[in-house]
Amino acid sequence: MRILVTGGAGYIGSHTVRMLENVAEQVVVYDNLSKGHRQAVQSSAFVQGDLFDSPLLAQTIRSQRIDAVVHFAAFSLVGESMEKPNLYYRNNVQGTLNLLDVMLENGVDKLVFSSTAAVYGEPACVPITEDTAKDPTNVYGRTKLIMEQAMADYAAACGLKFTALRYFNACGAHPAGDIGEDHCPESHLIPLILQTCLGKRDSIKIFGDDYPTKDGTCIRDYIHVDDLAQAHVLALQALYRGSASPVYNLGNGCGFTVKEVIAAAEAVTGRSIRKEIVARRAGDPAVLIASAEKIRRELGWKPEYRDIQSIIQTAWQWHQTHPEGFSS
Ligand code: UFG
């Protein structure tokens, strides 16, 4: 396998690159560093480039004799996507279409695509299977769904072979402790909680405690980033075996409320966390829990990190040693 990883300097990308290095003949990271971190890529070849730079993309694919792409490069903030839809349609849709053209023009037909639970919107029931109705409630989810549909059309007409992986809530950090989550600005629950534990924030704001859940706060399915990385490796191996363009959910299949995540973080860190109940955040569904039975059954994927405390433990190690992220 000779793999190009777009967005390989980002959070999920860098963990996947680390895992691919053990199984692939060549791994080349292609990232414009608008969100990613150069320090997150230590051993693989690195090209600083943009999805819209077709000549550089084509030259990288040809010179490195790439035969498959794992495509992470995208914007992924739900709130921002509602305020700046142009950025999301341009980068996530137009950028991916550009990548597909360059790939196919250069004889690369295999792609693993980062998708999201946001394609489902507010599901009528959980757990969510891949067949659950897709009705995104935000622009980010819509851009990912549009690309899933476009890739299916390319598969039918142009021989593209793709796998779309719909992530639920990615979290945790590499057990080696040298790569982890570093977003600017940070908006995700677990890093914000841990920054509060480190004294970098006064309190954690809980977005609404009047949801129809056991303690009134939203329920999410938290999945360790290394378990996500493992799924990319399995998906690639299946594509090389000739699998037909499947779509898979990636989650642990169990949900935790915001208050339960905070309590788990208090147990892991041994620190008490100041909480503040504030208004609901627009567009947050009450409950998102995955059924990941399909990828278990078809590819044998089995998440290693099954309990929330062990996931938070890896994130805590990263945040303690890198309080300023990669610039620590
Ligand atoms: N939350 C808080 N306070 C915070 C931050 C988050 O209460 O300061 C709550 C949210 O309301 C939500 C939960 O914690 O209920 C998790 O929020 P995150 O922002 O960590 O994650 P999301 O569930 O909003 O989003 C994640 C990914 C998105 C993806 C989505 C799919 O980050 O990219 O899952 O459902 F689209």
Side-chain angles (χ1 to χ4, degrees), residues 76-78 116-119 121 138 140-141 167-170 181 186-193 204-208 211 217-220 222 258 262 278 280-281 284-286 288:
S76 62
L77 297 179
V78 168
T116 170
V119 299
N138 55 62
Y140 168 62
Y167 316 144
F168 281 64
N169 286 64
E181 198 165 3
E186 188 51 77
S187 67
H188 295 91
L189 181 64
I190 291 176
L192 291 175
I193 292 172
I204 182 77
K205 293 185 170 54
I206 297 177
F207 296 146
Y211 286 94
T217 64
C218 288
I219 293 178
R220 293 289 181 274
Y222 294 89
V258 175
I262 296 171
V278 299
R280 288 182 178 199
R281 186 171 66 177
D284 270 345
L288 290 175

Side-chain angles (χ1 to χ4, degrees), residues 40-297:
V41 183
Q42 297 294 340
S43 315
S44 292
F46 181 85
V47 177
Q48 184 167 355
D50 197 273
L51 289 178
F52 290 97
D53 189 343
S54 301
L56 180 60
L57 203 43
Q59 191 229 320
T60 306
I61 286 174
R62 281 199 300 267
S63 66
Q64 301 284 343
R65 294 183 290 119
I66 295 299
D67 45 40
V69 175
V70 183
H71 177 39
F72 293 99
F75 291 153
S76 62
L77 297 179
V78 168
E80 183 184 63
S81 77
M82 301 304 281
E83 286 156 21
K84 299 174 183 164
N86 57 323
L87 286 185
Y88 281 70
Y89 284 104
R90 182 173 151 73
N91 198 42
N92 298 4
V93 176
Q94 232 177 318
T96 304
L97 291 174
N98 201 56
L99 170 68
L100 288 176
D101 285 345
V102 175
M103 279 173 57
L104 293 169
E105 280 161 19
N106 289 281
V108 179
D109 61 357
K110 291 181 273 303
L111 177 73
V112 177
F113 177 72
S114 295
S115 190
T116 170
V119 299
Y120 298 108
E122 180 95 47
C125 59
V126 292
I128 298 168
T129 71
E130 289 79 0
D131 296 328
T132 297
K134 264 67 76 191
D135 189 11
T137 51
N138 55 62
V139 172
Y140 168 62
R142 258 192 298 281
T143 62
K144 291 291 183 174
L145 185 57
I146 288 169
M147 281 318 307
E148 284 190 15
Q149 291 164 338
M151 288 186 301
D153 291 335
Y154 278 57
C158 321
L160 177 71
K161 297 172 185 69
F162 74 96
T163 300
L165 299 176
R166 295 181 182 147
Y167 316 144
F168 281 64
N169 286 64
C171 51
H174 198 280
D178 60 336
I179 51 173
E181 198 165 3
D182 179 3
H183 298 116
C184 187
E186 188 51 77
S187 67
H188 295 91
L189 181 64
I190 291 176
L192 291 175
I193 292 172
L194 296 178
Q195 288 175 359
T196 312
C197 291
L198 287 171
K200 296 186 69 196
R201 294 173 190 270
D202 290 341
S203 64
I204 182 77
K205 293 185 170 54
I206 297 177
F207 296 146
D209 67 349
D210 58 350
Y211 286 94
T213 61
K214 54 185 162 182
D215 62 20
T217 64
C218 288
I219 293 178
R220 293 289 181 274
D221 184 333
Y222 294 89
I223 179 78
H224 194 276
V225 64
D226 262 359
D227 286 324
L228 294 181
Q230 180 63 38
H232 291 75
V233 174
L234 294 173
L236 269 174
Q237 290 169 334
L239 284 177
Y240 279 86
R241 291 195 302 270
S243 85
S245 303
V247 173
Y248 296 117
N249 285 341
L250 295 179
N252 258 313
C254 49
F256 293 92
T257 67
V258 175
K259 286 183 179 170
E260 286 173 335
V261 175
I262 296 171
E266 288 182 321
V268 167
T269 62
R271 304 187 187 182
S272 84
I273 299 165
R274 216 165 79 78
K275 309 151 196 89
E276 202 184 328
I277 309 289
V278 299
R280 288 182 178 199
R281 186 171 66 177
D284 270 345
V287 184
L288 290 175
I289 300 174
S291 161
E293 279 316 305
K294 187 177 172 204
I295 188 165
R296 272 177 221 270
R297 200 175 53 242

